[in-house]
Amino acid sequence: MQRLNKAALEFSSRPENVAFARVAVAALASQLDFTLSDLEEIKVAVSEAVTNAIIHGYDNNPECMVRLEIKIVEEFIEIEIIDTGKGIKDITKALEPAYSTDPERMGLGFSFMQSFMENFSVSSSPGKGTRVKMSRRAGTPGRKAVSEQ
């Protein structure tokens, strides 16, 4: 029998909802054989993706909505964070460590996502939004980065 469980949530693009997203993902991820350290890395990756949606996608506009989709398939957790905001003009540039369009930010969000998740991709269209997809198998680290235009 295939293990399958999923959840989809939409929430206001408010900074306090980053913690909500972390808890939701951790609750589903805890159904797999992840260590506490693994769960913390997954939560950091989710925090970075949701924070990017709020700050860069929506310019901190709390009226906008962030969508979080979480799926467990066999021993994998698959996570998608979706916004319909500004989008990213140059994904290759955005994926560079320490790159940020905001001088107040360190620009390490994508680097954390890439290093903490086994599979990672980002697709975006200027003016249409961004979709970050990440997955990780229980018991394995991973570092496969893929960018999509």
Side-chain angles (χ1 to χ4, degrees):
M1 183 169 118
Q2 181 182 23
R3 182 190 328 211
L4 176 65
N5 196 3
K6 57 186 173 178
L9 307 164
E10 286 190 348
F11 48 88
S12 299
S13 61
R14 305 176 68 82
E16 55 267 37
N17 285 335
V18 172
F20 172 69
R22 288 171 55 97
V23 170
V25 169
L28 238 57
S30 67
Q31 297 173 12
L32 296 175
D33 192 24
F34 286 113
T35 67
L36 290 177
S37 178
D38 293 339
L39 289 173
E40 190 56 37
E41 289 178 354
I42 291 166
K43 291 190 308 185
V44 168
V46 168
S47 295
E48 294 296 336
V50 172
T51 298
N52 279 355
I54 293 168
I55 292 173
H56 301 292
Y58 291 133
D59 289 326
N60 291 301
N61 180 349
E63 299 300 315
C64 298
M65 300 297 286
V66 176
R67 182 167 176 85
L68 171 63
E69 296 178 2
I70 315 159
K71 189 185 303 181
I72 290 175
V73 179
E74 294 300 325
E75 296 303 314
F76 274 92
I77 184 151
E78 299 174 356
I79 303 160
E80 292 188 47
I81 293 91
I82 304 148
D83 71 66
T84 56
K86 295 189 309 188
I88 301 170
K89 291 179 186 172
D90 186 344
I91 292 175
T92 303
K93 185 79 171 162
L95 290 172
E96 292 177 5
Y99 174 80
S100 180
T101 57
D102 182 346
E104 300 291 316
R105 317 274 324 158
M106 292 186 348
L108 297 174
F110 283 137
S111 295
F112 286 137
M113 289 178 241
Q114 289 174 13
S115 66
F116 292 153
M117 300 303 285
E118 187 171 347
N119 298 294
F120 168 83
S121 69
V122 59
S123 58
S124 189
S125 296
K128 295 184 180 176
T130 302
R131 178 182 296 259
V132 173
K133 296 180 183 180
M134 306 179 282
S135 68
R136 184 164 171 175
R137 181 191 303 267
T140 61
R143 292 163 171 68
K144 297 177 190 167
V146 176
S147 66
E148 303 170 4
Q149 291 294 337

